[in-house]
Amino acid sequence: MTAPLRVAIAGLGTVGGHVCALLEKNRTLLEQRAERPVQLVGICARNKKKARPFTRTTIPWFSDPCAMIDETNCDVAVELIGGEDGIARTFVEHALNKKCSVVTANKALLAKHGKHLFPLAEKQGCALAFEAAVGGGIPIIKSLRESLSGNHIYRITAILNGTCNYILSQMRAQRRSFQDVLEEAQRLGYAEADPSVDIDGFDAAHKLALLAALAWGTLDIDSLTIDGIRTITAEDMALSEKMGYRLKHIAQAYPAKTTIHQSVQTCLVRQDHALAHVDGVFNAVTFLSDFCGELTLIGLGAGGDATASAVVSDILDLARGSHEHPSRVVLTATPTFPQARIPTTETMPYYVRLHVDDRPGVLAEIATTLAHEHISIETAWQQATEQNDVATLVIITHPSPSPSMHKAFAAVGTLKPVRQAPCLLPIINA
Ligand code: HSE
């Protein structure tokens, strides 16, 4: 039998604890599949006394993660500390500099420093594997990198944040406000005490940036449009349903004329769209590619067990030597995409919700203001409210360029008959 694969793990939070538990519980199975033992030669965390879901007490404990790499002479350093800088970054760089392969779930670190870390791994002849960084237990990275490797990727459309998806699902099912559901999610442990990274879209943005890097060879977190779910109201949730759509926090990327369009924002999706039915803490991704067409993967995007499953799949790849560089990212100066498929103008339909004075000429005034920016109305729906003189108005536009739509929306917002803050949301039409 080949020598054991020597693994050291830094960070024993929810994911780290479950990785140790999986390595312990499925040890024989892993050994059979890898045809060699996977040996835990070191673990490291801040708090040694905390209760954890594994029982092995014989694993050497380290208080300094970099010293753990030096002293164990490990083959694989598993980074589950988290955070885009600090000790997580030091640990990963130290491992790669020592020619030790790295497995990580840290999307923030890779999205911010991948431009430096991926080439460093290449130069050192090491793997920098990150199946667990995107979509928890769903094999998104391997599907994109391996199963679809013969395809041009035209478009990625995804739900990449379970917290946002859970909150929006509960708001819809129970007709409750954002704040109300957020507080409950925090009580139940589904949302962090400081939920900003999730609900303001940053977590999904980090994940999307990594998918774009694999699909098109460009990693550019700064070019992403990032928006979250804080401003979504129960009213817009109900109105979008009435119009045949569903509100979802959507990450989308596709090649545009001179760049890769990348956005994470709350969007309307048709109720017959595959992603409309992905609810709760589940994540999903749809890849559109030239030979494989549409492929949708759905599963648990977070949680200790599911994420540990993804971490261990990378460890097993390294144990088998089946991939010298699992989840390898090759960044290119010029992104690769088929020019023929790129739309000449980027347009999408929009949902506009307004509360307006209910009197003659108001609809015409709004339509004229939109027309000024060449925004065409596809559907308009209006209903009187309990306040006699105020109506709720919903407009669905024809596909329109984003700059014109935003300009027109700003102009509509200043019109005298428009009361309260109006709402503008894009509609996913692909
Ligand atoms: N906090 C993330 C989510 C999981 O809510 O989906 C880890 O990225």
Side-chain angles (χ1 to χ4, degrees):
M1 183 167 288
T2 322
L5 182 85
R6 298 164 60 77
V7 177
I9 300 180
L12 295 175
T14 309
V15 177
H18 282 80
V19 169
C20 293
L22 199 167
L23 292 176
E24 181 182 67
K25 186 161 179 259
N26 290 356
R27 191 164 54 88
T28 311
L29 177 79
L30 300 181
E31 187 169 328
Q32 279 166 358
R33 291 194 172 153
E35 295 183 347
R36 63 193 287 201
V38 175
Q39 189 186 348
L40 210 40
V41 294
I43 47 178
C44 170
R46 266 199 304 244
N47 181 355
K48 196 171 180 180
K49 296 200 177 117
K50 198 172 139 188
R52 297 199 161 86
F54 60 103
T55 51
R56 243 169 83 173
T57 49
T58 53
I59 311 160
W61 178 278
F62 293 83
S63 48
D64 176 348
C66 291
M68 175 171 70
I69 295 171
D70 298 339
E71 289 172 33
T72 59
N73 196 23
C74 56
D75 304 305
V76 182
V78 181
E79 186 278 304
L80 299 169
I81 302 164
E84 62 185 32
D85 281 296
I87 189 66
R89 183 181 175 192
T90 307
F91 177 74
V92 168
E93 284 177 348
H94 187 73
L96 294 175
N97 285 326
K98 288 260 169 181
K99 294 191 184 293
C100 175
S101 283
V102 171
V103 172
T104 179
N106 193 335
K107 52 244 136 201
L109 172 75
L110 296 180
K112 187 169 175 198
H113 299 295
K115 274 186 185 163
H116 153 66
L117 294 173
F118 289 119
L120 175 62
E122 287 282 323
K123 182 176 142 237
Q124 297 295 88
C126 299
L128 173 51
F130 58 98
E131 182 62 66
V134 183
I138 314 171
I140 294 179
I141 302 295
K142 288 187 207 301
S143 300
L144 184 53
R145 185 186 164 268
E146 296 170 21
S147 313
L148 296 176
S149 59
N151 288 254
H152 281 295
I153 306 296
Y154 291 151
R155 188 181 289 267
I156 299 169
T157 310
I159 292 171
L160 293 177
N161 187 269
T163 306
C164 286
N165 203 38
Y166 173 82
I167 293 174
L168 292 179
S169 303
Q170 292 294 98
M171 284 175 69
R172 179 176 68 83
Q174 300 175 358
R175 297 177 181 272
R176 290 164 65 197
S177 73
F178 166 77
Q179 197 55 37
D180 193 16
V181 175
L182 171 63
E183 282 166 18
E184 183 191 71
Q186 286 173 313
R187 275 198 304 279
L188 295 172
Y190 294 155
E192 303 281 344
D194 176 0
S196 169
V197 169
D198 292 313
I199 66 174
D200 293 324
F202 299 107
D203 174 75
H206 295 145
K207 294 167 178 170
L208 184 67
L210 293 175
L211 295 184
L214 280 168
W216 300 292
T218 176
L219 180 59
D220 187 8
I221 186 77
D222 295 329
S223 72
L224 257 108
T225 301
I226 305 174
D227 202 1
I229 60 168
R230 277 185 204 266
T231 57
I232 301 304
T233 63
E235 182 190 32
D236 288 314
M237 187 66 78
L239 289 172
S240 53
E241 288 285 320
K242 194 183 274 293
M243 305 302 286
Y245 297 95
R246 188 146 297 167
L247 285 186
K248 288 284 174 193
H249 191 247
I250 297 289
Q252 196 170 55
Y254 51 85
K257 233 177 176 179
T258 54
T259 180
I260 304 293
H261 166 98
Q262 296 176 74
S263 61
V264 295
Q265 56 195 330
T266 307
C267 299
L268 281 76
V269 297
R270 287 187 323 270
Q271 283 170 10
D272 61 359
H273 193 290
L275 299 187
H277 302 280
V278 177
D279 284 326
V281 294
F282 281 85
N283 282 193
V285 60
T286 299
F287 295 115
L288 176 65
S289 61
D290 49 359
F291 278 73
C292 194
E294 265 195 14
L295 168 70
T296 298
L297 303 165
I298 301 172
L300 284 173
D305 280 346
T307 312
S309 155
V311 170
V312 171
S313 78
D314 279 337
I315 294 174
L316 267 205
D317 278 345
L318 288 163
R320 288 170 173 146
S322 54
H323 299 282
E324 209 169 314
H325 302 293
S327 307
R328 178 172 180 241
V329 176
V330 183
L331 301 174
T332 54
T334 327
T336 48
F337 44 79
Q339 295 293 326
R341 283 286 303 218
I342 297 169
T344 46
T345 45
E346 252 184 273
T347 59
M348 55 175 68
Y350 284 86
Y351 160 97
V352 183
R353 188 265 304 140
L354 305 151
H355 293 132
V356 295
D357 291 346
D358 197 1
R359 58 176 168 74
V362 169
L363 196 52
E365 195 180 345
I366 290 165
T368 305
T369 308
L370 292 175
H372 214 78
E373 295 299 331
H374 308 284
I375 306 296
S376 171
I377 295 172
E378 187 220 75
T379 310
W381 175 93
Q382 180 178 323
Q383 192 162 57
T385 63
E386 280 163 16
Q387 284 171 273
N388 274 342
D389 54 347
V390 179
T392 302
L393 175 61
V394 175
I395 291 170
I396 305 292
T397 74
H398 281 293
S400 313
S402 165
S404 312
M405 186 65 239
H406 281 87
K407 207 167 158 197
F409 179 71
V412 166
T414 63
L415 296 177
K416 250 184 147 179
V418 175
R419 307 212 189 167
Q420 300 169 25
C423 170
L424 174 70
L425 294 170
I427 300 176
I428 294 293
N429 56 354

